[in-house]
Amino acid sequence: MAQNKEPQASADAILDKLDAFLRTKQLKLTSQRRQIVEKMLEMPRHFTADDLVDSFVGQRPRVSKATVYRTLSLLSEGEILEQHDFGEGHRLFELALGRSHHDHLCCTKCGKIIEFFSEEMENLQDKIAHKLGFHPTSHSQKIYGTCRECWREAKRD
Amino acid sequence: MAQNKEPQASADAILDKLDAFLRTKQLKLTSQRRQIVEKMLEMPRHFTADDLVDSFVGQRPRVSKATVYRTLSLLSEGEILEQHDFGEGHRLFELALGRSHHDHLCCTKCGKIIEFFSEEMENLQDKIAHKLGFHPTSHSQKIYGTCRECWREAKRD
DNA sequence: CTGAATGCAAAGTATTTGCAGGTCT
DNA sequence: AGACCTGCAAATACTTTGCATTCAG
């Protein structure tokens, strides 16, 4: 088990993968799609579609909200992004390309998200799924609670 | 590990728990709140707020959408219901009172949801959380994939 | 009696879609 | 040329809120 500190994929690596994916569907790698990929790299680990839309305000050429949403869908479908729902009423996106799979701890006090990976957990999940006749393709695991810092703060009161 | 086949709580048990919870907040057990509890018992294991709203159409006295939403919040807060998000764009509610904790397998072909519980998994989750300085209060785990039936069907083609 | 609850309609929030014109190959 | 894309605004889906009235304790 380890926290994940790997660097993210480069713009080039992402554009290559996106281009390859788009080709398989006879779609095009446009200027807007490139710009969105660039912006993605400047986003925090988890970001919303709206965060990305906002990053284009007052910029020329700008990219519209509709295009951002449409592109985020494509990026997810092409397995470049991953989508999460931490129960806040909106989706969060996370760059998946070049990073290995992991799960999340979510602090309900400060909103911090801690990533973790456990081989043991992965094996156990597979074992359980198979025992129930299920063929797993992916999973989402979130542990909610209080992080170290918020816990300390709570005890202080 | 076992699939969960326990019966659900009775209306009386739920109303008792709800009443106790409401008292602690100086809130009232109204006729509408009672009706919502009754309807909940007729719902499938997982239901949306809208399913519940619909169950009141053409009924007298009816309960409004706003009240349904407000009551579902209270029921969740009072740990009578649990909320889930299976990534379909709306919340699903599930009766938690009288049922023990479990996680879910979600078939992405047919939408079927299979429940499971694993002591081993629970322990592992706690172990990981603590190792990262985290104090867990709850978790949500979903394994997506193909269920036995859909898998067979896929192979047939 | 009095604070809490309700219904209604309106307002939000997040996301998707129709369409007319623009763009890439 | 033709298929795909884009921006815009309108539409959708789900949920929350403001307010005048009604109700539970």
Side-chain angles (χ1 to χ4, degrees):
Chain A
M1 187 193 68
Q3 260 178 281
N4 206 316
K5 310 260 183 186
E6 350 159 39
Q8 55 187 12
S10 68
D12 284 349
I14 297 174
L15 288 170
D16 280 354
K17 171 116 182 186
L18 176 56
D19 192 34
F21 171 71
L22 292 173
R23 276 176 206 289
T24 69
K25 311 194 65 170
Q26 335 228 189
L27 304 180
K28 297 166 183 170
L29 182 51
T30 63
S31 136
Q32 285 89 338
R33 288 177 182 164
R34 278 176 216 276
Q35 286 181 69
I36 288 170
V37 167
E38 296 290 343
K39 289 289 188 190
M40 260 170 42
L41 293 169
E42 297 165 15
M43 290 281 134
R45 195 75 104 189
H46 300 91
F47 59 92
T48 65
D50 239 41
D51 291 338
L52 208 42
V53 171
D54 286 348
S55 76
F56 282 106
V57 297
Q59 183 162 331
R60 282 283 350 226
R62 59 173 328 171
V63 177
S64 74
K65 177 184 299 208
T67 297
V68 167
Y69 273 95
R70 286 188 276 233
T71 302
L72 288 174
S73 280
L74 286 171
L75 288 163
S76 303
E77 213 189 313
E79 296 181 300
I80 292 165
L81 290 179
E82 215 166 79
Q83 303 185 198
H84 297 294
D85 198 313
F86 293 114
E88 306 149 302
H90 52 244
R91 274 176 299 183
L92 288 180
F93 293 87
E94 170 175 6
L95 183 53
L97 183 65
R99 304 198 64 220
S100 53
H101 168 75
H102 56 267
D103 291 311
H104 299 92
L105 297 168
C106 316
C107 178
T108 48
K109 304 259 188 225
C110 68
K112 181 169 24 195
I113 294 172
I114 302 172
E115 302 178 343
F116 72 91
F117 173 78
S118 158
E119 190 70 45
E120 206 178 340
M121 178 71 77
E122 304 289 316
N123 294 337
L124 185 52
Q125 287 173 336
D126 282 354
K127 194 177 101 189
I128 292 172
H130 284 117
K131 200 174 280 190
L132 294 169
F134 203 83
H135 295 258
T137 54
S138 70
H139 69 257
S140 134
Q141 166 157 39
K142 280 158 254 156
I143 301 178
Y144 297 95
T146 312
C147 71
R148 202 194 307 269
E149 290 68 35
C150 291
W151 183 260
R152 271 204 206 108
E153 193 154 331
K155 273 201 307 193
R156 188 175 313 140
D157 305 332
Chain B
M1 186 194 67
Q3 261 178 282
N4 207 315
K5 311 259 182 186
E6 350 158 37
Q8 56 187 12
S10 69
D12 284 350
I14 296 175
L15 288 170
D16 282 354
K17 170 116 184 185
L18 176 56
D19 192 34
F21 171 71
L22 292 173
R23 275 176 207 290
T24 68
K25 310 195 66 172
Q26 335 226 190
L27 304 181
K28 297 164 183 173
L29 183 50
T30 63
S31 136
Q32 287 87 337
R33 288 177 181 165
R34 278 177 217 277
Q35 286 180 71
I36 288 169
V37 166
E38 297 288 344
K39 288 291 188 189
M40 257 171 42
L41 294 168
E42 298 164 16
M43 290 281 134
R45 194 75 102 189
H46 301 93
F47 59 92
T48 66
D50 240 40
D51 291 338
L52 208 41
V53 171
D54 286 348
S55 76
F56 282 106
V57 296
Q59 182 161 333
R60 282 282 348 220
R62 56 159 344 160
V63 176
S64 72
K65 176 184 302 207
T67 297
V68 168
Y69 273 96
R70 286 188 275 235
T71 302
L72 289 174
S73 280
L74 286 170
L75 288 163
S76 303
E77 212 189 317
E79 296 181 300
I80 292 165
L81 290 180
E82 215 166 78
Q83 304 185 196
H84 298 293
D85 198 313
F86 294 114
E88 306 148 302
H90 52 247
R91 273 177 300 184
L92 288 180
F93 293 87
E94 169 174 6
L95 184 53
L97 183 66
R99 305 198 64 219
S100 53
H101 167 74
H102 55 269
D103 292 310
H104 300 91
L105 296 169
C106 316
C107 178
T108 47
K109 302 259 189 225
C110 69
K112 181 168 28 195
I113 293 171
I114 301 172
E115 302 178 343
F116 72 90
F117 174 78
S118 158
E119 191 68 44
E120 207 179 339
M121 177 73 77
E122 304 289 314
N123 293 337
L124 185 51
Q125 287 173 336
D126 282 355
K127 195 178 101 189
I128 291 172
H130 284 117
K131 198 174 283 191
L132 293 170
F134 204 83
H135 295 260
T137 54
S138 69
H139 68 256
S140 136
Q141 168 158 38
K142 280 157 256 156
I143 301 178
Y144 297 94
T146 312
C147 71
R148 202 194 308 269
E149 291 68 35
C150 291
W151 183 260
R152 271 203 206 109
E153 193 154 331
K155 273 201 304 190
R156 188 176 312 139
D157 305 333

